[in-house]
């Protein structure tokens, strides 16, 4: 029994570690090699951000791919079935906070506590934050929260500090603050700020899966309270209904009674922890693998030249990873004309240079939007600029 419990938590750490390493690796490869998905295309929250635009006309926000819709659908399925299992077993940013949290547990004997009333009020903040982001995004029609988001800041670290600081100044500061604060107080971002966590918390109100506590065998040792990364008072309830529970199962595996004092129930039936973990992680990873392997769902935008061949290329489709040669071919513009209109006529820029590398060659703080605006002016195309 004890060995099984140990294995469950080991499996959880392996799962979180896998998703953290996998998403970071993809983000690094995206910087270096064309064809790898961008960090934005691998975030379920992107699906929520684009939902209004998608439902009202089938179009997606810039940087969002059909993969985001798939991930959102998976999050909804997992949230309804297994509560916040995504947060506890899959989320790469949760994993990152968990690493710093375990560091803190090793350094400090007694974890930091926040007065309950203050903590409760602060935890409510993520709900209006979620609503505000969605309204702001839908009104502006762009991923407005991106520069303030710590995850893209983390994912762009391999592009160099200058790019991170230039594009994600606030996101980078939030990232550093989150990681430092996680040493003293676990999962601070999840508790107080994460909009995806807030969305998951709302889904987890549908009570299909719950942890129950059997009073008669509980010895009131408080261990479950102490191991809970979300500071839920497990010992003070018979059934965990808190939207804060991330289904990490730390409380269940830590309970020393070995009498199923804490147990997992799915639609009133007791179920083994490993089964729920396997289903939760398996459904998520398996669906992504099938979608990617079969090509049923696209994780990357088609190259500009493919779009142009189909006759649906737009100025908005130009990305930092687009090369000058591809842009010229797709829009039928000569390179010297494009460079002149972009203020680059005095530089020797090879045609296969990606726009995002222009700054490295010229030493200028160069924005992708400069090229978009240049194309729009040359061809007299409608483009309202990056928001
Ligand atoms: S209540 Fe248990 S399962 Fe829920 S977050 Fe706390 S330790 Fe994890
Ligand atoms: S860890 Fe188990 S025995 Fe200890 S307080 Fe929690 S439920 Fe009771």
């Amino acid at each position: 029994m004890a060995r099984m419990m140990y294995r469950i938590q080991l499996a959880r750490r392996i799962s979180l570690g896998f998703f953290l390493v996998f998403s970071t690796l993809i983000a690094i490869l995206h910087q270096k090699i064309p064809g790898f998905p961008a960090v934005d295309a691998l975030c379920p929250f992107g699906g929520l951000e684009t939902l209004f635009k998608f439902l009202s006309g089938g179009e997606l926000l810039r940087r969002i791919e059909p993969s985001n819709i798939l991930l959102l659908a998976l999050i909804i399925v997992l949230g309804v079935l297994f509560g916040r299992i995504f947060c506890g077993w899959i989320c790469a940013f949760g994993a990152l906070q968990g690493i710093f949290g375990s560091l803190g547990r090793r350094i400090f004997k007694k974890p930091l506590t926040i007065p309950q009333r203050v903590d409760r009020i602060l935890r409510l903040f993520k709900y209006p934050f979620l609503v505000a982001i969605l309204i702001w995004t839908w009104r502006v029609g762009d991923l407005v929260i991106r520069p303030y988001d710590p995850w893209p800041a983390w994912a762009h670290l391999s592009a160099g500090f200058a790019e991170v600081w230039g594009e994600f100044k606030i996101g980078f500061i939030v990232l550093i603050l989150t990681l430092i604060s996680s040493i003293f107080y676990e999962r601070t971002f999840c508790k107080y700020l994460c909009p995806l966590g807030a969305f998951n918390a709302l889904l987890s109100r549908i009570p299909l899966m719950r942890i129950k506590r059997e009073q008669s065998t509980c010895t009131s040792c408080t261990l479950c309270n102490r191991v809970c990364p979300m500071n839920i008072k497990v010992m003070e309830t018979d059934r965990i209904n808190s939207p804060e529970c991330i289904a990490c199962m730390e409380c269940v595996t830590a309970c020393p009674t070995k009498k199923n004092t804490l147990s997992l129930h799915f639609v009133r039936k007791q179920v083994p922890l490993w089964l729920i973990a396997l289903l939760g992680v398996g459904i998520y990873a398996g669906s992504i693998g099938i979608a990617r392997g079969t090509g049923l769902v696209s994780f990357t935008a088609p190259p500009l030249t493919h779009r142009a061949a189909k006759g649906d290329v737009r100025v908005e489709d130009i990305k930092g990873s687009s090369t000058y040669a591809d842009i010229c071919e797709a829009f039928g513009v000569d390179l010297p004309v494009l460079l002149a209109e972009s203020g680059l006529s005095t530089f020797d820029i090879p045609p296969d240079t990606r726009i995002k590398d222009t700054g490295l060659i010229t030493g200028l703080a160069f924005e992708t939007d400069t090229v978009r605006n240049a194309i729009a002016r040359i061809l007299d195309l409608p483009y309202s600029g990056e928001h």
Side-chain angles (χ1 to χ4, degrees):
M1 179 83 164
R3 183 171 286 189
M4 174 55 114
M5 293 305 188
Y6 168 77
R7 283 188 189 150
I8 299 250
Q9 286 307 329
L10 182 66
R12 190 171 81 85
R13 280 157 180 76
I14 291 173
S15 170
L16 285 169
F18 168 78
F19 283 104
L20 173 60
V21 172
F22 179 77
S23 349
T24 306
L25 205 62
I26 295 284
I28 294 171
L29 290 171
H30 172 75
Q31 306 290 333
K32 320 278 176 214
I33 308 167
F36 278 90
V39 60
D40 308 286
L42 296 175
C43 178
F45 191 62
L48 201 55
E49 287 170 294
T50 202
L51 199 59
F52 179 73
K53 188 163 186 175
F54 181 63
L55 294 178
S56 58
E59 286 202 15
L60 303 175
L61 292 172
R62 196 159 56 84
R63 294 196 169 94
I64 294 296
E65 304 298 336
S67 56
N68 295 94
I69 302 291
L70 169 71
L71 298 180
L72 175 66
L74 288 172
I75 283 281
I76 294 173
V77 170
L78 292 190
V80 170
L81 289 178
F82 310 127
R84 292 177 65 179
I85 201 162
F86 174 86
C87 305
W89 285 75
I90 297 169
C91 178
F93 195 51
L96 201 54
Q97 292 173 76
I99 292 171
F100 282 77
S102 0
L103 194 71
R105 256 177 278 131
R106 272 162 217 266
I107 301 171
F108 306 110
K109 291 269 177 298
K110 212 167 178 296
L112 183 82
T113 50
I114 291 184
Q116 242 184 26
R117 197 182 296 169
V118 178
D119 177 62
R120 212 174 292 148
I121 294 169
L122 287 177
R123 285 190 199 226
L124 291 176
F125 182 72
K126 59 182 175 290
Y127 299 102
F129 189 49
L130 164 71
V131 175
I133 292 173
L134 294 184
I135 293 175
W136 190 20
T137 305
W138 291 338
R139 288 193 67 125
V140 173
D142 205 354
L143 299 181
V144 286
I145 198 68
R146 192 171 183 266
Y148 315 104
D149 187 338
W151 181 245
W154 165 267
H156 281 78
L157 283 177
S158 63
F161 184 71
E163 182 166 336
V164 174
W165 193 246
E167 205 176 338
F168 303 102
K169 207 175 275 125
I170 306 283
F172 181 72
I173 293 170
V174 176
L175 171 69
I176 298 299
L177 290 177
T178 300
L179 298 185
I180 293 175
S181 63
S182 293
I183 299 177
F184 303 97
Y185 192 64
E186 283 190 68
R187 288 203 179 225
T188 29
F189 189 82
C190 307
K191 283 171 185 154
Y192 303 128
L193 273 179
C194 183
L196 185 57
F199 181 66
N200 271 329
L202 294 173
L203 290 173
S204 75
R205 302 316 293 145
I206 302 166
L208 290 186
M209 192 187 82
R210 288 286 182 260
I211 291 169
K212 289 187 181 169
R213 186 179 68 99
E214 177 54 54
Q215 269 192 37
S216 60
T217 51
C218 175
T219 60
S220 303
C221 70
T222 73
L223 197 54
C224 48
N225 286 4
R226 283 182 277 138
V227 295
C228 177
M230 300 304 279
N231 309 99
I232 295 166
K233 303 282 176 230
V234 181
M235 201 189 78
E236 282 142 44
T237 178
D238 292 341
R239 179 186 157 96
I240 297 170
N241 288 322
S242 169
E244 295 295 312
C245 176
I246 56 170
C248 68
M249 304 174 198
E250 287 278 3
C251 53
V252 185
T253 54
C255 180
T257 63
K258 301 183 181 65
K259 288 176 186 159
N260 278 336
T261 305
L262 287 173
S263 53
L264 201 58
H265 293 252
F266 186 77
V267 200
R268 298 210 186 100
K269 257 191 161 340
Q270 189 176 333
V271 282
L273 305 191
W274 63 263
L275 180 64
I276 297 297
L278 196 68
L279 283 173
V281 177
I283 289 174
Y284 193 80
S287 308
I288 294 173
I290 292 170
R292 178 75 175 160
T294 56
L296 274 174
V297 178
S298 166
F299 285 68
T300 48
L304 277 183
T305 44
H306 288 202
R307 280 184 171 272
K310 287 184 181 170
D312 76 340
V313 69
R314 301 166 308 160
V315 175
E316 288 86 343
D317 298 324
I318 298 174
K319 296 195 162 33
S321 57
S322 309
T323 66
Y324 285 93
D326 283 346
I327 296 167
C328 290
E329 187 183 334
F331 288 92
V333 170
D334 289 334
L335 182 61
V337 175
L338 176 59
L339 293 181
E341 194 63 37
S342 306
L344 298 169
S345 50
T346 54
F347 297 96
D348 182 21
I349 297 182
D352 59 353
T353 304
R354 297 179 304 176
I355 301 179
K356 64 162 76 170
D357 296 331
T358 308
L360 294 175
I361 295 175
T362 60
L364 303 172
F366 194 80
E367 301 280 344
T368 305
D369 220 35
T370 308
V371 176
R372 291 193 198 108
N373 280 308
I375 287 287
R377 281 195 302 274
I378 295 167
L379 298 174
D380 200 17
L381 295 172
Y383 180 60
S384 54
E386 204 166 33
H387 300 283

